[in-house]
């Protein structure tokens, strides 16, 4: 009997709707055989909804289990198989499928029970016997492993907790071994069951950084993807204790605690999705409640005095990652609403903190930016006007509470909070600016004698200048103030910020050459001063990053771009700064690079629309002469020579909330511009660009992911993919490339993706399987019908390489489809490259699946003409492909061979066989030899 697929179902009873149920089941079976498991699943689901009998339901549920096994969704496979068994306790296929799912889920003890039941029902079934032997071996191996690690775990803890072993190499080795052991699930379970969490708590209590790190990293292994162990760990250590470790002064310990909390959040959130089921299926405490307790403690940590700045940043990073919804398709944003109600004031307190006065919160240069990003993500996660209005109200009440009745210090904190909002959810920032007296106070504080007060006010003015609502007001009232500060202030920290404000206002026209705010040459002077400050390594990094902010605005001007890329020292200073601890500079660096490479979206205006606009006396945007393609290409080459790729690679590796989805998109745009020219791609690959593009293609905005995927496609087309993406990395490239096949992508992106996938499909079977798993085949087949000849050809070439896989061969061999017909017809097209691809696919398929040979004459009446045309082609490649197809057909069947030998093919083969020794000659000779063997023709007198 067959146990691996949904075929061979038992006869079904006849009742109301039975014929529809049976038809849908048969449709599902056919779809399953063709590899369309999603389609089969849909068919079985529809059949279940038509009032199927209990026996039918059992069959349909077990078939759904088979689909889920193929789709590697083992939990659903177990659920469906269980439903089938509930309907029919003796359903042997369902028992076997459930055992397969349980084995994959690591629940070997339950899997073996199902297999034993299968063997008792069918004692002679070799498949069941082999599976039972295999799983019994796994269980014995696990028992041996667990027993051998018992003594090791105990010994490691004895060494680590022995005060006499302090700082020894023995202790260091024991801590490393413990961490390694915890990475394997069996090892983590052993540590956990050996009273490990309590012993790790003792390591944390020592206060020694090395032991604390070992304990935290071991706890990561224990909690990883395991909900019940996570809850138990939190219960033993105490949620407050775990969160408080974020706030320690030691950065390595704080980061390790951050990683542990991230793993705990992931385990708890997975538990919320699965309805209180852990990895091992135990019923535990409500994970949603545990999640809120953890988040509540993080919010408390934000405003605790004595917490390190690094710890506060790590807490903000965790909140950014775990609170907002991952996708707008998820309707539940209750966690965001809860955090806004419980913790918005605490987040605003960090965002409004001023630079380390006594008794205030300790913050780093990145803290306020992280707070802005968190506020922005919370605001973006709101679904309706009522929720947004509540957010505005809470922000405004907080700002008013400081602005009124707390003197100058309160006003300063209120303005800093407004500045934080302007960098995050700018709608909330704009509304806060309109509160009575706020804007007037900003203008007044710009003239303060105190540097700290001036800094806060000028920065707020700069952030406000970018918002359309306030820009006209500031252009009218703030330019003279900023100019005055720039010229008269003796403090570089004030002058550089005033200059950025002027840069921002001066770039209001964007790339439109005809809309310049300042007099000719003013932007060049501002840019020169920015470059001077950027190169001044005597200034602190926090001040120099404002020079980059200025250049991010000024590089809209093509003259500024040209001067900037010529200034090698400024470029190197920019790249050096991007690698520094000052993470808030990343967006400005990426913006400047986008401007220099012209990788922003730009569409050439329709000439007719331009004429119409001129006639109507409407403004028409003009492109700067130095923004033409030749200038852009020259700038790209200068950036590559200066080391832009290595700088961007470091930026992508940044583990900071500052690397937002928007920032990732900017980097993706730049990378795409850098690989536009074929000759530059080697440089990009050599400096690590291929590796950096992978995370950009998998995470970020839709536009950013698409741009990064297109850059990956360009690299994959023109370079050796195995060199560009070494090791396992090459398999990560497939998903981004497949994403470019979707219809919302441009024709060029579709074409480049097909070309890249063709290269990958020709490398190994494992890569072909990865392409199949990403469900690329239906999309590739769709492009084989495209009107555009290049898309059609690229899709056919890709299918030709994929035809080396058994699954694709099965698709061609399945009855009731025109796949084979399409290849035969394309082999007779005028486009030589398309003919070459189709004929290659035909040669491959007829070699691997001889049964297809007998179907070629059935798919079209022109099959003989097409084969003859291939054999007579002036191209040796086409001749060879045609000769191989004919040879395969001759070897497959005497009847087909007879038809071929009765046609002009015999004469053509005879001529080809007499040529000089080539692959074509050998194939033609083999055809004739087989025909002689069949007795269809006689050998010539010389025996040839």
């Amino acid at each position: 009997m067959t146990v691996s697929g949904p075929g061979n179902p038992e006869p079904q009873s006849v009742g109301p709707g039975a014929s529809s149920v049976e038809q849908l089941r048969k449709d599902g079976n056919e779809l399953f055989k063709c590899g369309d498991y999603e389609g089969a699943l849909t068919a079985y689901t529809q059949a279940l909804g038509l009032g199927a009998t209990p026996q039918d339901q059992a069959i349909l549920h077990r078939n759904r289990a088979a689909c889920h096994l193929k789709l590697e969704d083992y939990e659903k496979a177990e659920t469906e198989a269980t439903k089938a068994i509930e309907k029919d306790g003796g359903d042997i296929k369902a028992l076997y499928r459930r055992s397969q799912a349980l084995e994959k889920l690591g629940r070997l003890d339950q899997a073996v029970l199902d297999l034993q039941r299968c063997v008792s029902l069918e004692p002679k079934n070799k498949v069941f016997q082999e599976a039972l032997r295999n799983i019994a071996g796994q269980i014995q191996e696990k028992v041996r492993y667990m027993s051998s690690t018992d003594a090791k775990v105990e010994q490691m803890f004895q060494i680590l907790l022995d005060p006499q072993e302090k700082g020894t190499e023995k202790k260091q080795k024991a801590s490393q071994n413990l961490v390694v052991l915890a990475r394997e699930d069996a090892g983590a379970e052993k540590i956990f069951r050996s009273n490990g969490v309590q012993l790790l708590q003792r390591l944390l209590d020592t206060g020694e950084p090395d032991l604390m790190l070992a304990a935290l990293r071991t706890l990561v292994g224990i909690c990883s993807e395991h909900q019940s162990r996570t809850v138990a760990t939190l219960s033993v250590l105490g949620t407050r204790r775990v969160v408080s470790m974020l706030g320690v002064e030691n950065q390595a310990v704080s980061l390790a605690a951050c990683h542990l909390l991230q793993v705990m959040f992931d385990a708890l959130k997975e538990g919320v999705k699965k309805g209180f089921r852990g990895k091992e299926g135990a019923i535990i405490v409500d994970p949603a409640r545990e999640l809120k307790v953890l988040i509540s403690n993080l919010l408390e940590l934000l405003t605790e005095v004595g917490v390190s700045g690094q710890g506060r940043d790590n807490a903000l990073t965790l909140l950014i990652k775990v609170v907002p919804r991952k996708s707008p398709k998820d309707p539940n944003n209750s966690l965001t609403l809860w955090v806004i109600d419980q913790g918005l004031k605490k987040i605003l307190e960090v965002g409004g903190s001023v630079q380390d006065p006594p008794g205030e919160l300790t913050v780093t240069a990145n803290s306020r930016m992280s707070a802005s990003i968190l506020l922005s993500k919370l605001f973006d996660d709101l679904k309706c006007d009522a929720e947004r209005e509540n957010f505005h109200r809470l922000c405004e009440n907080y700002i008013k509470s400081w602005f009124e009745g707390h003197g100058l210090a309160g006003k300063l904190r209120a303005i800093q909070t407004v500045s934080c909002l302007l960098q995050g959810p700018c709608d909330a920032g704009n509304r806060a600016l309109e509160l009575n007296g706020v804007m007037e106070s900003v203008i007044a504080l710009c003239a303060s004698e105190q540097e700290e007060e001036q800094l806060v006010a000028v920065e707020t003015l700069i952030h406000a200048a970018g918002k359309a609502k306030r820009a006209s007001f500031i252009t009218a009232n703030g330019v003279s103030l900023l100019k005055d500060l720039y010229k008269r202030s003796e403090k570089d920290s004030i002058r550089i910020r005033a200059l950025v404000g002027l840069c921002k206002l001066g770039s209001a026209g964007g790339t439109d050459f005809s809309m310049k705010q300042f007099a000719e040459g003013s932007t060049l002077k501002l840019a020169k001063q920015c470059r001077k400050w950027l190169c001044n390594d005597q200034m602190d990094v926090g001040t120099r990053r404002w020079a980059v902010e200025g250049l991010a605005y000024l590089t809209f001007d093509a003259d500024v771009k040209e001067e900037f890329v010529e200034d090698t020292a400024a470029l190197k200073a920019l790249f050096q700064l991007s690698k520094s601890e000052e993470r808030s500079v990343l967006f400005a660096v990426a913006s400047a690079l986008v401007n220099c490479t012209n990788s922003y979206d730009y569409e050439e205006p329709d000439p007719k629309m331009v004429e119409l606009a001129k006639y109507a006396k409407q403004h028409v945007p003009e492109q700067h002469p130095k923004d033409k393609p030749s200038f852009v290409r020259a700038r790209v080459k200068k950036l590559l020579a200066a080391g832009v790729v290595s700088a961007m690679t470091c930026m992508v590796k940044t583990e900071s909330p500052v690397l937002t989805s928007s920032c990732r998109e900017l980097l993706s745009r730049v990378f795409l511009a850098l690989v536009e020219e074929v000759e530059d791609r080697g440089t990009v690959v050599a400096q690590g660009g291929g590796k950096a593009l992978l995370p950009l293609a998998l995470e970020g905005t839709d536009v950013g992911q698409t741009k990064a995927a297109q850059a990956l496609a360009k690299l994959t087309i023109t370079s050796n993919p195995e060199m560009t993406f070494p090791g396992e990395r090459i398999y990560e490239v497939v998903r981004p490339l497949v994403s470019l096949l979707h219809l919302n992508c441009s024709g060029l992106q579709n074409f480049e993706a097909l070309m890249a996938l063709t290269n990958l499909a020709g490398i190994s079977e494992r890569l072909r399987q990865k392409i199949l798993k990403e469900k690329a085949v239906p999309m590739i087949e769709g492009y084989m019908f495209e009107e555009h000849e290049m898309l059609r050809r690229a899709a056919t070439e890709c299918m030709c390489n994929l035809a080396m896989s058994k699954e694709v061969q099965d698709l061609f061999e399945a009855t009731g489809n025109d796949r084979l017909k399409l290849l035969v017809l394309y082999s007779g097209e005028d486009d030589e490259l398309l003919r070459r691809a189709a004929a290659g696919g035909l040669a491959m398929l007829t070699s691997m699946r001889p049964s297809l040979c007998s179907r070629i004459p059935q798919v079209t009446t022109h099959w003989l003409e097409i084969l003859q045309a291939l054999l007579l082609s002036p191209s040796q490649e086409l001749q060879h492909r045609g000769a191989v197809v004919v040879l395969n057909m001759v070897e497959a069947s005497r009847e087909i061979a007879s038809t071929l030998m009765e046609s002009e093919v015999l004469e053509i083969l005879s001529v080809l066989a007499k040529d000089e020794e080539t692959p074509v000659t050998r194939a033609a000779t083999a055809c004739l030899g087989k025909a002689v063997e069949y007795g269809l023709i006689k050998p010539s007198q010389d025996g040839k």
Side-chain angles (χ1 to χ4, degrees):
M1 74 174 263
T2 302
V3 291
S4 59
N8 304 329
E10 290 80 354
Q12 300 190 36
S13 57
V14 178
S19 60
S20 300
V21 171
E22 186 174 358
Q23 186 55 50
L24 282 166
R25 180 186 60 76
K26 287 179 178 176
D27 292 345
N29 292 352
E30 284 301 317
L31 289 166
F32 187 95
K33 287 175 187 173
C34 294
D36 185 359
Y37 307 120
E38 294 279 8
L41 203 55
T42 303
Y44 298 140
T45 306
Q46 288 173 348
L48 278 168
L50 293 177
T53 64
Q55 185 187 355
D56 294 342
Q57 287 177 27
I59 294 168
L60 291 164
H61 280 301
R62 76 163 184 235
N63 287 359
R64 280 170 58 82
C67 294
H68 286 306
L69 282 171
K70 288 289 187 182
L71 294 166
E72 298 181 13
D73 193 339
Y74 302 116
E75 290 198 353
K76 286 184 181 174
E78 182 216 348
T79 303
E80 290 295 333
T82 301
K83 286 179 182 177
I85 294 162
E86 286 169 358
K87 300 288 181 187
D88 179 3
D91 191 332
I92 198 164
K93 286 186 178 181
L95 283 164
Y96 180 66
R97 282 171 196 156
R98 188 167 72 175
S99 75
Q100 289 177 300
L102 289 166
E103 181 185 355
K104 292 291 186 181
L105 290 167
R107 288 147 62 183
L108 302 180
D109 51 340
Q110 295 173 29
V112 81
L113 293 174
D114 281 345
L115 279 173
Q116 285 170 345
R117 175 86 173 127
C118 289
V119 171
S120 70
L121 291 169
E122 283 194 18
K124 295 182 180 180
N125 190 306
K126 291 183 180 179
V127 175
F128 296 153
Q129 291 170 0
E130 181 61 32
L132 188 59
R133 275 196 297 272
N134 178 46
I135 211 160
Q138 288 182 56
I139 291 172
Q140 287 174 1
E141 183 61 33
K142 189 174 181 180
V143 169
R144 275 199 302 272
Y145 176 78
M146 297 295 273
S147 59
S148 69
T149 54
D150 276 357
K152 288 181 184 175
V153 170
E154 191 177 341
Q155 186 184 15
M156 281 186 269
F157 275 116
Q158 281 178 353
I159 294 168
L160 290 169
L161 293 168
D162 185 353
Q164 303 301 317
E165 295 284 354
K166 190 171 182 180
T168 63
E169 187 179 332
K170 197 174 177 184
K171 203 165 193 173
Q172 189 179 7
K173 193 171 181 182
S175 66
Q176 288 172 349
N177 288 341
L178 196 65
V179 173
V180 170
L181 183 64
R183 285 178 188 154
E184 295 292 330
D185 188 59
E189 184 67 18
K190 189 67 218 165
I191 296 169
F192 180 74
R193 294 191 182 281
S194 303
N195 205 30
V197 178
Q198 287 85 347
L199 292 168
L200 290 167
Q201 185 177 26
R202 289 174 61 188
L203 289 180
L204 292 171
D205 290 339
T206 63
E208 293 180 36
D210 287 346
L211 291 182
M212 290 178 77
L213 280 171
L216 289 166
R217 288 167 182 165
T218 306
L219 285 167
V220 165
I222 289 172
C223 297
S224 183
E225 296 183 19
H226 207 296
Q227 187 198 91
S228 60
R229 289 203 299 247
T230 297
V231 174
T233 300
L234 285 169
S235 176
V236 173
L237 297 179
T239 306
R240 184 72 195 141
R241 170 72 192 281
V242 177
V243 172
S244 67
M245 283 187 289
L246 277 177
V248 300
E249 287 295 334
N250 187 294
Q251 286 195 15
V253 173
S254 179
L255 278 170
C258 183
H259 186 206
L260 171 61
L261 283 163
Q262 178 69 63
V263 165
M264 287 177 158
F265 274 119
D266 290 344
L268 291 172
K269 282 194 126 180
E270 196 60 31
V272 173
K273 283 186 208 167
K274 292 179 183 175
F276 315 154
R277 288 176 70 85
K279 187 174 179 181
E280 69 299 340
I283 304 299
I284 63 160
V285 180
D286 180 358
R289 180 188 161 280
E290 296 294 324
L291 200 61
K292 283 189 175 178
V293 171
L294 258 181
I295 291 172
S296 179
N297 277 278
L298 279 177
L299 292 169
E300 290 294 329
L301 185 83
L302 290 180
T303 54
E304 274 186 27
V305 177
V307 171
S308 68
Q310 176 77 26
R312 221 178 299 280
D313 287 357
N314 286 336
L316 287 166
T317 301
L318 280 168
L319 289 166
I320 288 166
K321 286 181 178 177
V322 302
V323 176
R325 293 171 294 168
K326 295 290 182 193
S327 166
K329 293 176 183 175
D330 178 3
N332 184 9
N333 70 339
S334 59
L335 196 56
T336 293
L337 297 175
W338 182 81
V339 167
I340 287 170
D341 286 338
Q342 300 295 316
L344 185 61
K345 288 181 181 178
K346 292 179 173 65
I347 301 164
L348 290 171
E349 195 169 332
V350 177
S353 56
V354 215
Q355 196 68 36
D356 295 336
E360 289 289 335
L361 303 179
T362 308
V363 292
T364 70
N366 300 315
S367 300
R368 286 190 290 272
M369 179 59 79
S370 295
S372 293
I373 292 165
L374 176 56
L375 289 165
S376 180
K377 286 192 173 289
L378 291 174
F379 188 77
D380 290 344
D381 204 36
L382 300 177
K383 296 193 294 185
C384 63
D385 289 344
E387 291 174 359
R388 284 185 276 273
E389 192 56 42
N390 178 55
F391 186 95
H392 289 311
R393 181 179 54 78
L394 290 170
C395 289
E396 288 166 18
N397 287 345
Y398 178 83
I399 291 163
K400 283 178 188 174
S401 71
W402 279 104
F403 195 75
E404 299 163 1
H406 286 85
L408 184 59
K411 283 185 168 56
L412 206 60
R413 177 176 279 278
I415 292 168
Q416 183 72 280
T417 308
V418 173
S419 180
C420 174
L421 287 168
L422 285 166
Q423 291 177 83
C426 56
D427 285 350
N430 273 328
R431 280 187 49 163
L433 271 179
E434 291 166 7
L435 290 173
N436 188 33
V438 171
M439 196 65 197
E440 290 77 5
S441 296
V442 171
I443 299 292
L445 284 172
C446 283
S448 170
E449 294 296 319
Q450 298 296 318
E451 182 179 1
E452 185 185 282
E453 294 169 7
Q454 267 193 313
L455 286 174
V456 172
V458 173
E459 284 184 22
T460 306
L461 201 61
I462 292 166
H463 298 315
K467 316 305 166 193
K469 263 190 168 183
R470 309 300 310 180
S472 57
F473 170 84
I474 294 166
T475 305
N477 302 280
V479 171
S480 56
L481 177 63
L482 289 169
K483 279 184 179 177
D484 193 53
L485 284 170
Y486 176 61
K487 288 176 182 175
R488 297 177 186 278
S489 179
E490 295 176 2
K491 304 180 187 78
D492 277 348
S493 59
I494 300 297
R495 291 187 68 221
I496 198 167
R497 284 165 173 79
L499 182 142
V500 172
L502 291 170
C503 294
K504 209 166 186 179
L505 294 169
S507 64
T511 57
D512 185 354
F513 181 49
S514 63
M515 281 187 70
K516 296 301 165 196
Q517 302 294 314
F518 296 149
E520 189 70 32
S522 295
T523 49
L524 286 172
K525 286 178 185 175
L526 290 173
K528 188 176 181 181
Q529 185 59 54
C530 281
R531 296 203 310 274
K532 182 180 174 184
W533 271 323
L534 176 61
C535 295
N536 184 358
D537 54 13
Q538 300 302 309
M539 295 175 74
D540 68 278
V541 173
T543 303
R544 285 169 67 204
R545 73 120 174 152
W546 283 98
V548 185
E549 291 273 355
L551 287 167
Y553 292 107
L554 292 173
T555 46
F556 280 122
D557 187 306
D559 289 317
V560 173
K561 299 177 200 182
E562 287 295 314
E563 285 194 3
F564 186 34
V565 296
E566 291 291 346
D567 190 339
T568 310
L571 286 178
K572 288 189 174 171
L574 178 78
F575 300 152
Q576 199 60 44
L577 202 60
S578 71
K579 299 174 187 177
S580 71
E581 291 298 313
E582 181 68 46
R583 303 286 81 190
S584 54
V585 77
L586 295 185
F587 192 86
V589 172
S591 298
L593 292 174
V594 165
N595 292 340
C596 288
T597 56
N598 282 37
S599 45
Y600 41 73
D601 290 327
Y602 175 78
E603 285 187 19
E604 286 284 346
D606 185 337
K608 291 181 180 177
M609 294 303 293
V610 170
E611 289 301 318
L612 192 63
K614 285 179 179 176
Y615 178 76
K617 296 185 179 178
Q618 295 294 314
H619 173 70
V620 180
E622 293 178 24
Q623 188 183 37
H624 196 292
K626 291 181 181 176
D627 271 334
K628 299 211 179 295
S630 57
F631 284 91
V632 176
R633 282 196 294 272
R635 289 200 292 266
V636 165
K637 292 197 182 298
K638 286 168 187 171
L639 287 169
L640 284 168
V644 67
V645 177
S646 58
M648 288 172 64
T649 303
C650 289
M651 289 165 73
V652 173
K653 289 179 186 172
T654 302
E655 290 188 13
S656 165
V658 176
L659 192 66
T660 59
S661 295
S662 300
C663 190
R664 286 172 172 275
E665 181 185 318
L666 295 179
L667 292 173
S668 298
R669 287 175 178 276
V670 178
F671 266 122
L672 184 56
L674 296 178
V675 299
E676 191 61 42
E677 298 293 318
V678 175
E679 63 266 26
D680 295 332
R681 293 174 193 174
T683 306
V684 173
V685 170
Q687 294 181 14
K691 182 180 177 183
L693 276 165
L694 282 169
L696 293 176
L698 295 169
E699 187 181 344
T701 65
D702 290 342
V703 172
Q705 289 183 65
T706 301
K707 300 277 185 191
Q710 191 177 0
L712 283 172
K714 288 178 185 289
L715 293 179
T716 310
I717 291 167
T718 53
S719 59
N720 180 350
E722 291 174 291
M723 299 286 287
T724 307
F725 311 105
E728 293 296 303
R729 208 168 287 142
I730 194 169
Y731 302 101
E732 295 176 39
V733 180
V734 174
R735 182 171 294 173
L737 294 180
V738 173
S739 72
L740 292 177
L741 296 179
H742 292 292
L743 294 174
N744 57 347
C745 294
S746 69
L748 177 62
Q749 290 166 342
N750 300 152
F751 174 72
E752 290 178 333
L754 289 166
M755 294 280 284
L757 288 168
T758 302
N759 277 2
L760 293 179
I763 291 173
S764 71
E765 179 58 26
R766 189 178 164 196
L767 271 168
R768 287 191 287 275
Q769 288 299 322
K770 178 68 175 170
I771 294 169
L772 294 174
K773 189 178 175 183
E774 293 296 334
K775 301 174 185 171
V777 171
M779 289 187 278
I780 294 167
E781 285 185 324
Y783 286 110
M784 288 176 73
F785 291 94
E786 267 286 339
E787 287 184 19
H788 197 291
E789 61 180 22
M790 291 178 72
L791 276 174
R792 193 166 63 237
R793 182 197 309 151
T796 307
E797 287 173 350
C798 191
M799 190 57 73
C800 174
N801 281 358
L802 286 172
M804 289 186 269
S805 287
K806 175 185 174 296
E807 289 81 356
V808 176
Q809 293 162 19
D810 289 343
L811 293 176
F812 276 89
E813 201 169 32
T815 55
N817 71 78
D818 290 331
R819 293 184 178 96
L820 185 65
K821 180 178 181 178
L822 188 65
L823 278 189
V824 174
L825 292 174
Y826 278 177
S827 299
E829 284 284 307
D830 292 335
D831 179 352
E832 186 176 321
L833 293 173
L834 177 61
R835 287 176 76 198
R836 190 186 301 173
L842 212 52
M844 171 79 65
L845 287 164
T846 50
S847 297
M848 306 296 284
R849 296 293 172 97
S851 60
L852 291 173
C853 295
S854 59
R855 286 172 51 190
I856 289 176
Q858 299 167 15
V859 296
T860 173
T861 54
H862 301 290
W863 69 280
L864 261 176
E865 297 168 34
I866 290 168
L867 289 178
Q868 288 168 13
L870 287 173
L871 293 171
L872 292 169
S873 170
S875 163
Q876 277 233 330
E877 284 191 59
L878 281 175
Q879 272 192 334
H880 183 234
R881 284 163 166 76
V884 170
V885 174
V886 171
L887 176 59
N888 292 335
M889 293 177 74
V890 167
E891 289 180 338
S893 156
R894 186 182 186 281
E895 185 183 346
I896 299 172
S898 174
T899 306
L900 287 165
M901 293 305 128
E902 288 168 6
S903 70
E904 291 179 19
V905 169
L906 173 59
E907 188 180 341
I908 298 168
L909 289 172
S910 301
V911 173
L912 292 174
K914 292 175 183 175
D915 287 343
E916 294 178 12
E917 183 73 12
T918 64
V920 177
T921 308
R922 287 193 290 273
T925 305
C927 288
L928 295 172
K930 193 69 181 175
V932 170
E933 189 181 315
Y934 285 144
L936 298 172
I937 59 173
K938 292 181 180 179
S940 58
Q941 290 180 351
D942 59 4
K944 292 185 181 179

